Amino acid sequence: MDLVKLSRDSQALFKRLADRFPPDQLRMCRESGKGCEWNEMVDIMCAVLVKRNVPVTQDERDALADLLAMYPVPVEGYDYINKRDEILAALTVTPGTDCR
């Protein structure tokens, strides 16, 4: 796994989605990113997007799919990463180019 790419891509996607996250999950993602806990950050992002029906663009969905594809599953302790196909299918994808 290319950790530099994982770091860069997960941070970039998080920045795009951050204004749609509740404060507590926003803080958890930021702390995970600062601690280089990319698995935790990606898993939290997936959980928030699905559980809260956060709208995403097709580009954001594709970026998440690319992130999840970097992981050789199963990844112990990360339920959302391990269920990547289900997570991607459950996303609320909007037809527009901007969900803000």
Side-chain angles (χ1 to χ4, degrees):
M1 177 185 308
D2 183 344
L3 294 179
V4 172
K5 181 170 174 44
L6 179 65
S7 168
R8 183 186 62 234
D9 292 358
S10 61
Q11 291 285 350
L13 181 59
F14 176 65
K15 284 182 181 181
R16 290 176 67 177
L17 299 172
D19 66 342
R20 291 173 253 167
F21 279 29
D24 54 335
Q25 280 93 6
L26 183 65
R27 181 179 32 73
M28 288 174 28
C29 279
R30 281 192 180 131
E31 289 172 4
S32 296
K34 287 179 185 176
C36 299
E37 295 290 335
W38 312 120
N39 298 353
E40 185 75 18
M41 183 181 191
V42 171
D43 209 59
I44 293 168
M45 282 195 295
C46 290
V48 171
L49 293 173
V50 171
K51 287 183 174 183
R52 296 188 171 269
N53 296 314
V54 174
V56 296
T57 65
Q58 186 63 48
D59 286 345
E60 291 164 341
R61 183 244 175 246
D62 293 346
L64 181 60
D66 291 344
L67 272 176
L68 292 172
M70 289 185 208
Y71 289 95
V73 291
V75 180
E76 188 175 332
Y78 296 101
D79 294 336
Y80 290 89
I81 291 172
N82 290 330
K83 296 177 183 177
R84 60 183 169 210
D85 292 337
E86 294 171 45
I87 296 307
L88 294 171
L91 292 175
T92 304
V93 180
T94 63
T97 57
D98 190 0
C99 290
R100 288 170 235 192

